[in-house]
Amino acid sequence: MINFTEYNFKGKKAIVRVDFNVPLNKSTYEVRDDTRIRAAIPTIKKIINDGGAVLLMSHLGRPENGPEDRFSLKHVVSCLSDLLEQKVDFVCDCIGSEAERKANEISAGEVLLLENLRFYKQETAGSKEFAKQLANLADVYVNDAFGTAHRAHASTAIIAQNFPNDKMYGYLIAKEIESVSKVLNNSISPVTAIVGGAKVSSKIVIINELLEKVDNLIIGGGMTYTFIKAFGGKVGKSLIENDYLITAKEIIEKAKENNVRLILPKDSVVADGFSNEARTLVCDSSEIKDKWMGLDIGPKAIAESVNCIENSKTILWNGPMGVFEMEQFQEGTKQVALAIASATKKGAFSLIGGGDSVAAINLFNLADQVSHVSTGGGAMLEYLEGKSLPGIKAITA
Ligand code: AMP
C-alpha cells in the first residue's frame, strides 16, 4: 500500500474524495460549521506543496433528483479558499466536457472543486462507468472522506479499481485508523469505554466488541434503564427496550466473565416530563416512580464515572450520558467530557467517536483538549464494531 506521507505528488493530478457535507445557513447558504473542511486542509496542502494539482470531489446533503442550488458545492468555495489561503476554482459538474476541460487546464499548485457527486444517482449506486469518468480526470486517487468510508459508493470505493498502483488514503483517514488502533489494538491500560446514547439496540454490537478489549465499561444515557429493568428495578416512564432485556443480562454476564468492570449509573436525574421545564429530582436508578423518567445520570454516578475516567490511560467515548440537548439534563455529559479532558492532560489517549458525543464535546468547547475527535459518525461506529469499511478496503486490498 502506498504511504501518502511518502508519496511525491510533483507533476501529478490528484483526485481527492473529501467530506464537505457541511451544514449551510438555510437562507444565505453560508457554511455554518467548517469542521469537516478544516479536517481536509492538511491533505490538500501536502499535495500542493509537493507540486501537484488537486481536484476535490464530495457530496453535500441528499439531493433526490439531480442538481439543486441548495445542495451545490459552490457554497463552500469561499470558506475553502479562506482556509487554504489561496484561490479555489469551481466547475458546475463533476463529469462531462466542462469538468474534463477544467481538469486538463489545471496547473501544479492549483485547486479545483467539482460539483456535488450526488447530483448523479450513479454515485450512491456505485456505478463503475461513473467512477471511470471521475478517474479519467486525474493520475492519482486519494480518499480522505472518513465520514463516507462505510459506503461502497462510486467515489469512495469503486473508483479505486481504476488506480491499481496510485491509490492511497490521506492524513485524515490515516489519523482515524490510527486512533481506533490506539484504543482497541495497541492500547495502554487501564482502558475505559463510555457508551451512552438512546438505545441498547443501536449499541449492542459495539458493546460486545468492547467487552473483549476494555478494562472498564461505563454505561449511561437512555439505555441505562433497559439494564436496570432487566434486574427488576423500577424505571417509571424511562426509555425501555423490552426486546433487549435478555441482551442486557447477557452483557452483564459477559462483563463478569471477561473481568470488565461495568459501571451502571447508581442514581439518575429524573423528570416528570420530557422537557427542559419539567420538575426534576435525583433518585436511585432502580427506584424511579411511575410517572417519572430518567434523563441524566445523577451525582453518585458522575462521581464514580469521573473517578474511573481520571484514572484511565486510554479512553473511548461514544454517546451522551443524558438528554444533553436540554440544559437541565446536561451535567452528566458535561462532567464526563471534563474528566476526559483532564485525563488527556495527564497523558491519556482519548478518542471521541460517534455523532452525539462529538456534538457534546463541541458544545462544551473541549474538542481541542482531547486526543482525537472523529469526523465520521456512522463510519466510526461501524469501524469500532470491527466491520471492514469499503472506502478503506478499496485502498488496502
Ligand atoms: P445515540 O445517537 O444513540 O448516541 O443517542 C443520542 C441521543 O440519546 C441524544 O439525542 C440524547 O438526547 C438521547 N438520550 C440520552 N440519554 C437519554 C435518556 N436518558 N432518555 C432518552 N434519551 C436519551
Side-chain angles (χ1 to χ4, degrees), residues 296 317 320-322 324 329-337 360 364:
D296 194 7
W317 184 25
M321 298 290 98
F324 75 103
F329 313 110
Q330 229 169 52
E331 198 57 21
T333 304
K334 185 175 182 179
Q335 293 307 326
V336 159
F364 306 126

Side-chain angles (χ1 to χ4, degrees), residues 196-199 202-203 221-222 225 239 274 294-295 319-323 325 356:
K199 295 177 172 177
S202 59
K203 301 287 164 84
Y225 306 99
L239 190 65
F274 191 81
L295 296 182
M321 298 290 98
V323 184
E325 297 91 337
D356 272 332

